[in-house]
Amino acid sequence: MLIGALLFAATPADVVFTNGNFYTGVPAHPTAQAVAVAKHRIVFVGTISGARRYTTKRTKVVDLHGATAVPGLTDAHYHLSAVGEREISFNLEGTSSLQDLQRRLKERAKTIPAGRWVVGRGWIETHWSPPVFPTRQDLDAAVPDHPVFLRRSDGHGAVANSMALKLARIDKSTASPPGGEIEKDPATGDPTGMLKDNAMGRIAILLPRATAQEDEQAMLLAVKRSLSLGLCEVHIPGNSWKEIQLIRRLYEEGRIPLRIYDAISRNEAGTLFAKGPILNEFDHHFTLRSIKLYADGSLGSKSAALLAPYEGETASGFMVTTEAATQPILKEALRKGIQIMTHAIGDRANRSMLDWYETAFKAVPPSERAVKAPRWRIEHAQLVAASDLGRFAKLGVIPSMQPSHAIGDLYFAPSRLGMERLSEGYAWKSFLRSGSIICAGSDAPVEVGDPIIEFYAAVARKALNGFSGPGWHPEERVSRDAALNMLTKWAAYAAFEEKDKGTLEVGKLADITVLSRDIMNVREAQIPKTRCVMTVIGGEVAYTASRRSVET
């Protein structure tokens, strides 16, 4: 069928993408062979012969040679600048053991003058033997003459060596701050070196600041990597006004083709309230209309706020904020038309945020809001009590979830939660059944940031090597259609962009991701082997893979 042919029959196309296996995301017309684009928007979706009606001598024709194409993929939770920083900094991703961590640390320290900081990120102990947090003594043994600060992969915990703790004036008499923990040896009372959530700030303020040139380099590297993975848009869950200004300058200079939906961090919420939302700037490339809040920490760092204690322990994690401090922000956001995105991992944190959202909704009725249906989000929603699950849809709150968290966390989640509570974890299918939609992301650089991994995790709920263990609850898998929606049309809805993005339809922006395999039909084990062939944003090719990169 020729979709929109009558309406746009006289419109000459700037570019036609033809001979493709297109999945449109439109139930009435789910597949197509060609897409025609004029002035960055789609003017035709349908057959190859139908697309010829839009082709003139000036039209660029791109032959996809039968490759699969989907609506432009979106990562709905993506720390863009941190992805770039990972590319240029001390990257501890893939560290296989404590000894491997020490070896990498020694090698890194050789490149840095004595007394200077060694800062890194990306270690995660859950696959080590034994799976225990490193200590200051472990770092001291490797590097005694540098202050060292190494963030865990999730960013909610870090380990510091003795020199770094001394510089931060952290000792056995130092109390943990609200919303954080300075972990201490139960026998001696001395700090172990592990700092969680708000406790990390005592060292973070001492770290050397990146230069403006380094910030720009990191941002451009992150954009380049994102395009190569097939991402047309990312949602940044919280950054600074300084970083926002950098992004806008790079847009002005024509150096960023990637679309960005942004949220400002809580400590600069007043700036957004004062200036108001920025909508569809740079021809629908940049929007700032959200504030990022935090409710708790992470499951891996044992700082997620739980309703019952961690397995075999008396502690149940902690909230990093209070309702009294949060309600004024929530109510002002409703009045100013600002979306709220709140990080909540544990079941207590998720219940608390639903309660706080509901209180704000009652205090500021639709008649007093700038946006009647505010589409507030909870980022992660990893562990949600069964009694709270339906409240998301009832309140209009969108769970923004990261499928790859499950296939990583489920190796260690039983040791944190016990087997019984795992039935309420990473409950994608249950959310959909309750009436919610889910926007999906990766939380990169906590995870790799590849949308194909997120798609696979959502439909397979297995590790990349096919492993699935007790407590992984395969019944929470979703269909391939749902997984694609999570990365396209539902992500667009979560950003108020469903009229412009998320499906391949006439009138929408021509964002297309072209893939090396048909992810909607290939065998499950083949999905992770899929590569991005081409990334198209507004009808313009922003990335093309080399033949070698597609084949590897």
Side-chain angles (χ1 to χ4, degrees), residues 516-517 526 528-532 543 545-552:
S516 63
R517 285 178 168 84
Q526 294 295 310
K529 298 178 181 179
T530 303
R531 299 290 179 265
C532 173
Y543 168 81
S546 67
R547 181 174 180 179
R548 181 178 179 183
S549 67
V550 171
E551 292 175 347
T552 56

Side-chain angles (χ1 to χ4, degrees), residues 74-78 235 237 341-345 350 376-385 389 392 397-407 409 422-434 436-444 447 450-451 453-455 457-458 461 476 478 482-483 485-488 490-491 494:
T74 291
D75 190 309
H77 191 108
Y78 194 86
H235 298 181
M341 303 178 179
T342 303
H343 165 114
I345 300 285
N350 277 282
W376 285 3
R377 297 162 48 160
I378 287 185
E379 307 297 312
H380 309 306
Q382 285 185 10
L383 186 67
V384 178
L389 201 102
F392 280 76
V397 174
I398 300 169
S400 171
M401 305 178 76
Q402 298 72 49
S404 60
H405 280 347
I407 64 174
D409 289 10
L422 287 178
S423 64
E424 297 179 337
Y426 317 94
W428 314 317
K429 190 66 170 287
S430 294
F431 267 119
L432 298 183
R433 285 175 174 163
S434 73
S436 288
I437 63 165
I438 300 169
C439 60
S442 66
D443 203 10
E447 304 288 352
D450 186 342
I453 293 177
E454 303 306 321
F455 181 90
R461 205 174 174 94
E476 289 292 348
V478 302
N485 288 343
M486 288 161 67
L487 292 160
T488 55
W490 293 342

Side-chain angles (χ1 to χ4, degrees), residues 483-502:
L484 186 60
N485 288 343
M486 288 161 67
L487 292 160
T488 55
K489 67 168 67 173
W490 293 342
Y493 180 87
F496 297 88
E497 296 174 337
E498 70 273 16
K499 292 182 179 179
D500 291 304
K501 304 169 189 174

Side-chain angles (χ1 to χ4, degrees), residues 79-388:
H79 300 276
L80 186 63
S81 62
V83 169
E85 290 164 9
R86 178 180 64 183
E87 297 295 298
I88 61 177
S89 67
F90 183 27
N91 186 358
L92 292 166
E93 206 174 22
T95 302
S96 60
S97 65
L98 175 60
Q99 292 71 32
D100 186 27
L101 177 71
Q102 291 174 314
R103 179 189 60 78
R104 294 188 187 203
L105 183 55
K106 284 181 181 179
E107 291 301 312
R108 181 70 172 187
K110 290 177 182 178
T111 68
I112 300 173
R116 300 276 184 88
W117 281 91
V118 180
V119 181
R121 176 172 176 166
W123 64 269
I124 184 166
E125 82 297 337
T126 52
H127 295 298
W128 299 357
S129 183
V132 295
F133 292 145
T135 66
R136 62 182 174 88
Q137 291 91 344
D138 294 327
L139 304 190
D140 293 345
V143 181
D145 55 353
H146 295 72
V148 178
F149 185 68
L150 306 178
R151 292 182 186 269
R152 194 175 183 273
S153 177
D154 60 11
H156 289 273
V159 61
N161 70 349
S162 296
M163 184 179 289
L165 293 173
K166 185 176 181 180
L167 289 172
R169 299 181 180 180
I170 296 174
D171 56 28
K172 65 169 57 180
S173 65
T174 309
S176 294
E181 180 186 354
I182 299 171
E183 187 180 87
K184 294 181 180 177
D185 187 310
T188 67
D190 292 317
T192 65
M194 271 300 296
L195 307 171
K196 300 177 184 178
D197 290 286
N198 291 350
M200 294 188 293
R202 292 192 64 132
I203 287 183
I205 61 172
L206 304 178
L207 301 179
R209 298 287 182 249
T211 66
Q213 184 178 7
E214 289 169 336
D215 287 340
E216 180 179 302
Q217 180 189 11
M219 184 63 67
L220 293 174
L221 279 171
V223 168
K224 181 178 179 181
R225 174 175 170 78
S226 305
L227 295 171
S228 73
L229 292 171
L231 291 171
C232 294
E233 177 167 300
V234 299
H235 298 181
I236 301 178
N239 59 15
S240 67
W241 187 253
K242 176 184 175 184
E243 185 175 327
I244 290 164
Q245 291 297 76
L246 168 62
I247 290 170
R248 295 172 79 194
R249 175 173 65 79
L250 293 173
Y251 274 127
E252 288 174 354
E253 295 171 1
R255 300 169 72 185
I256 301 183
L258 184 71
R259 301 191 197 275
I260 294 173
Y261 183 79
D262 214 338
I264 201 164
S265 296
R266 175 184 184 145
N267 60 354
E268 294 191 65
T271 303
L272 184 57
F273 286 144
K275 294 179 178 293
I278 299 170
L279 305 178
N280 301 320
E281 198 172 40
F282 307 109
D283 191 18
H284 292 271
H285 275 74
F286 180 76
T287 287
L288 170 65
R289 68 181 303 160
S290 305
I291 295 170
K292 172 67 178 299
L293 306 178
Y294 282 87
D296 65 346
S298 74
L299 194 63
S301 294
K302 297 184 180 180
S303 56
L306 305 181
L307 291 169
Y310 282 88
E311 184 74 0
E313 301 185 18
T314 58
S316 56
F318 48 81
M319 298 288 287
V320 299
T321 189
T322 65
E323 182 173 15
T326 304
Q327 277 298 334
I329 295 174
L330 301 182
K331 293 170 184 175
E332 184 72 0
L334 288 170
R335 295 187 181 101
K336 294 288 180 66
I338 304 297
Q339 185 186 49
I340 297 293
M341 303 178 179
T342 303
H343 165 114
I345 300 285
D347 47 9
R348 176 157 55 98
N350 277 282
R351 176 173 293 177
S352 295
M353 290 316 306
L354 291 172
D355 289 344
W356 299 359
Y357 281 9
E358 187 170 11
T359 296
F361 292 159
K362 290 177 179 177
V364 185
S367 61
E368 298 177 19
R369 303 175 194 169
V371 177
K372 288 182 171 54
R375 301 187 192 181
W376 285 3
R377 297 162 48 160
I378 287 185
E379 307 297 312
H380 309 306
Q382 285 185 10
L383 186 67
V384 178
S387 58
D388 290 324

